[in-house]
Each structure stands twice: as structure tokens, then as C-alpha cells.
Amino acid sequence: MASTIFSTSSSLPTAVKGLDCNTYKPTLGNLRFIASPNRKSIAAPKPLFPVVKATSDVPVKTGLSDAECEAAVAAGNVPEAPPVPPTPLAPAGTPVVPSLPLSRRPRRTRRSPALRAAFQETSISPANFVYPLFIHEGEEDTPIGAMPGCYRLGWRHGLLEEVAKARDVGVNSIVLFPKVPDALKTPTGDEAYNEYGLVPRTIRMLKDKFPGLAIYTDVALDPYSSDGHDGIVREDGVIMNDETVHQLCKQAVAQARAGADVVSPSDMMDGRVGAIRGALDDAGFQHVLIMSYTAKYASSFYGPFREALDSNPHFGDKKTYQMNPANYREALVEVHEDESEGADILLVKPGLPYLDIIRQIRDNSPLPIAAYQVSGEYSMIKAGGILKMIDEEKVMMESLLCLRRAGADIILTYFALQAARCLCGEKR
Ligand code: PBG
């Protein structure tokens, strides 16, 4: 049962605005006595007390005083209660062995759903999710082949419906990823800071409809770059750092001006967090948070995302700016830079294959941590579920719980809506 692992009850109501899905509600089964089949063989000496049926309602009161009850028990008129349960039989052939002389038996705290729920160390709630949403200029929602269940949403129609559904189950944070028309892509990605561009326009509309929604944005040039890279590409193929940072600052300010709550540089240029902080502050956006993609690895798990946005690099790869998947200590170098440059949230990406990095950062920084369960992770779980090789819902919830256990405060996940529905007891 999902509730034993994820601290939710399937009996929770479906109206869940503001509901804390962490509250474990035990089912009535935990509270009832179980009748023993041989209870009739143990009879009370005299039926002074009404017979207590283990599963019945509370017995009728006798009207006896406390003193009379005590006297009756002292005189041997013990009220009936369910008998001591018999020792359960082991199957024939079970070896008879002396019990092991163990001073500690860790299985004790796992004996029942109530004990397991009491000692569960990690919890997960819809408030921990950030829902990544793909948007485009069209009116229709276009399915993304490699990400079953995900769509490029029409910014004025499908997007609004999806956000409303998410908010209904307590997911009040989204991050936007635009599919930009090819005609607007240039080598310097200037569309990224067009105040009338798709992202700023969408932010203004969302803030108008849902003022309480927390809107995260992606800061990087790849959706706007005719080269498909996160930065400006020099003729020899080098990704230019400081010139790219200049563009990113303009992009972040345009997003903040439109109403973004959190800008999230995912480009991995050096020094961009400090520069963006300065640009935001200069423009009067001191209150806007920066979620830095601190440890973003050059991962093959991003494949379905790049299909979704048609943002594959047109040549080469992203290894000169994204981190080498083989590296662990290097993440701390990035942490120290991002901390000193003023990042508010540190993000690790991908998620599940990089749990050690999440844990390392959790143990080395007091800042909030985000984990990005990326497109490839989502697609693998979906594919396994569709092919009936795994239980999709259970694997989904376990993967999210594990990201929390490793140290993530929030999780960017394409499962946000599905998982929140599951946590709130809504089965689809
Ligand atoms: C690009 C960006 C990427 C993702 C988020 N922002 C892809 C990339 O770096 O090529 C990947 C997200 C995912 O795979 O779900 N700035």
C-alpha cells in the first residue's frame, strides 16, 4: 500500500488545496481488536460484566462505581477481554533452532504500518515539487514522443489548464521551457531578452491569472541559439564565457521584469551567478531568487528534453561547460563559487544517477538544494511502466523519495502532477 512508504492515506479527500499530504492517517483497522476464534473457551466466572466482543461497539455501561469494579476484580470476577493470542504456527519442516543472541533486532521498528510510519525519516509533499512545462506559440498541445504524458503546451490554453490541475493538488511552482520558432534563433540568442518574447509574455499572463503561483525560469541561450548551444559560439567552436554572461544578465532581468520569482541559470558559464545578481539588483529586482544549476553534468539523460524543444547542439557537445559525469570533488568548486556569488538555491542535475552529489552538497552547504529529475529519467520510468516491466507509480514515488532522502529540498520533475495526485489519494 502506498501509504506505508509515502506517508499518505488513500482515504484523503480529493479537495486538497493547502492540504499537508504528510499527515499519516491510520486506517480504522489499526484501532480494532481482532477476535480470536477460540475466545469462547475462556469463560468469565460470573457474567457480572457484559461480554466484550472484540470487534463490536463499546459495551453498555453497567453503572458500577470504580470501587465496585475494583472489588469485583479482587473477588475474581474478571471482565472478559480478548484472550491472549495463540502462538502462530510455523510451516512443517521449519528447523527448530535456539534464538540468536542479538542485542538489537532492527526489524522491530518495521513490524507494522503504524510503526513504520512513526519511524519514517523522510517525507515528501506536493509543496516540494517544481513542475517543468514546455510551451510554444501554437494553440494546440503537441505530444512529445520521447516523453509520454508530456506536451508542448499552447501558452494561452493548454498551459493554463495544466497549471490549474497542478495547483488543485498542491503543486504551486512551475518552471517554463520555451520552444522558440527557428526564425527567431540567432548566433547571439537575442530573443532571450525580448520583453515581448514567449517566456516574458507567458509569465505576465500566468501572474495575472494565478498571482500566488511561484514561477521559475530557465536562463540559458540554447532555446534561442541558432547553434543549439547554451552560449555564444566563436568561429573556432569555443563557447564564449563572459560575452554569454552579458546576454544571460539581460535575459534574467527581462524575466524578472515580467514577474518571474526565481531565475535559474542552467548554462554553466563561469561567474554568471554573481553577474546576474548584480544585474537584477541594479534593475530593482533584489527580491528575485537565483536558483543556480550548480552541478550540471554533461549527461545523455537530457536527450528527450532536447527533442521536446528541438534544441540539440548543431555540432559538438556541451562538455566544455557542463561537468564531467566522472567528477565528484569538482561539484564543491562550483558550490563555493555559487555560494560566494549569492546563489539562493543550489541545483544538481540529473537526479537519480547523481545522488552522491546531492548528498555531498547537502553536507557542505546550508543553502536549499534542488534536484532535477531530468527527461531521460522520466522517460525510462514511463517506458518501463508502459511495457509493464515495472510498477510505474511505485517506482515514480520511490525515485522522488530517494531524491529527498539524499538531501533535496525541492525536486524539478515531470512527474509533479502525477505524483501529487498520488500523494493526495487521487487515483487516475
Ligand atoms: C538547457 C537545459 C537542458 C535541460 C534543462 N535546461 C538541456 C541541456 O542542457 O542540453 C535538460 C532538462 C531535462 O533533460 O529534463 N539549458
Side-chain angles (χ1 to χ4, degrees), residues 69-93:
C69 288
E70 287 191 355
V73 171
N77 286 322
V78 179
E80 187 169 345
V84 174
T87 307
L89 287 178

Side-chain angles (χ1 to χ4, degrees), residues 220 222 230 266 296 302 305-306 318 322 349 374-375 414:
D222 53 327
D230 290 23
S266 68
K296 176 175 179 178
Y302 309 149
F305 174 98
R306 293 180 190 168
K318 300 192 175 185
Q322 299 179 350
K349 174 183 179 185
V374 299
S375 54
Y414 303 97

Side-chain angles (χ1 to χ4, degrees), residues 58-81:
V58 177
V60 180
K61 286 186 180 165
T62 59
L64 298 180
S65 69
D66 291 358
E68 287 166 332
C69 288
E70 287 191 355
V73 171
N77 286 322
V78 179
E80 187 169 345

Side-chain angles (χ1 to χ4, degrees), residues 193 232 241-251 275 279:
Y193 50 85
I232 300 173
N241 193 89
D242 301 12
E243 295 76 2
T244 298
V245 170
H246 178 85
Q247 299 291 74
L248 300 176
C249 288
K250 291 166 89 169
Q251 181 181 19

Side-chain angles (χ1 to χ4, degrees), residues 90-333:
T94 302
V96 178
V97 298
S99 63
L100 293 171
L102 302 181
S103 63
R104 192 163 297 285
R105 288 185 182 255
R107 288 181 56 191
R108 283 177 195 133
T109 50
R110 300 173 208 144
R111 281 191 66 210
S112 69
L115 290 171
R116 289 195 294 276
F119 300 115
Q120 177 161 323
E121 297 175 36
T122 307
S123 64
I124 188 161
S125 127
N128 302 127
F129 298 145
V130 180
Y131 194 12
L133 296 170
F134 300 110
I135 51 172
H136 69 156
E137 296 284 4
E139 312 245 298
E140 303 300 325
D141 302 335
T142 317
I144 297 165
M147 300 177 72
C150 289
Y151 298 80
R152 287 180 204 153
L153 300 165
W155 70 285
R156 261 198 300 202
H157 302 95
L159 173 66
L160 291 187
E161 285 162 30
E162 197 68 10
V163 170
K165 284 184 210 161
R167 284 165 56 88
D168 276 348
V169 285
V171 177
N172 221 352
S173 302
I174 61 150
V175 54
L176 293 173
F177 291 104
K179 157 95 171 63
V180 175
D182 279 345
L184 296 176
K185 298 184 182 181
T186 58
T188 46
D190 303 274
E191 176 66 11
Y193 50 85
N194 174 3
E195 307 225 347
Y196 301 97
L198 179 56
V199 167
R201 208 186 319 135
T202 302
I203 296 172
R204 291 199 296 271
M205 192 206 45
L206 282 174
K207 278 286 170 185
D208 185 52
K209 295 257 191 255
F210 309 107
L213 181 70
I215 302 180
Y216 293 58
T217 57
D218 189 57
V219 180
L221 296 187
D222 53 327
Y224 310 92
S225 154
S226 44
D227 298 303
H229 273 285
D230 290 23
I232 300 173
V233 186
R234 211 168 57 188
E235 87 182 326
D236 59 356
V238 166
I239 311 296
M240 303 174 77
N241 193 89
D242 301 12
E243 295 76 2
T244 298
V245 170
H246 178 85
Q247 299 291 74
L248 300 176
C249 288
K250 291 166 89 169
Q251 181 181 19
V253 169
Q255 293 168 346
R257 186 163 290 129
D261 297 278
V262 185
V263 297
S264 324
S266 68
D267 55 286
M268 292 302 281
M269 296 301 119
D270 294 333
R272 89 279 208 211
V273 170
I276 290 173
R277 183 73 271 160
L280 289 173
D281 291 352
D282 285 349
F285 300 111
Q286 289 83 356
H287 55 280
V288 171
L289 288 80
I290 299 177
M291 176 168 77
S292 174
Y293 284 59
T294 297
K296 176 175 179 178
Y297 286 85
S299 169
S300 301
F301 284 92
Y302 309 149
F305 174 98
R306 293 180 190 168
E307 182 207 307
L309 295 188
D310 193 15
S311 65
N312 260 303
H314 296 174
F315 66 89
D317 49 40
K318 300 192 175 185
K319 290 180 183 168
T320 68
Y321 43 108
Q322 299 179 350
M323 286 171 59
N324 181 345
N327 289 1
Y328 175 80
R329 280 175 289 128
E330 191 182 346
L332 280 188
V333 177

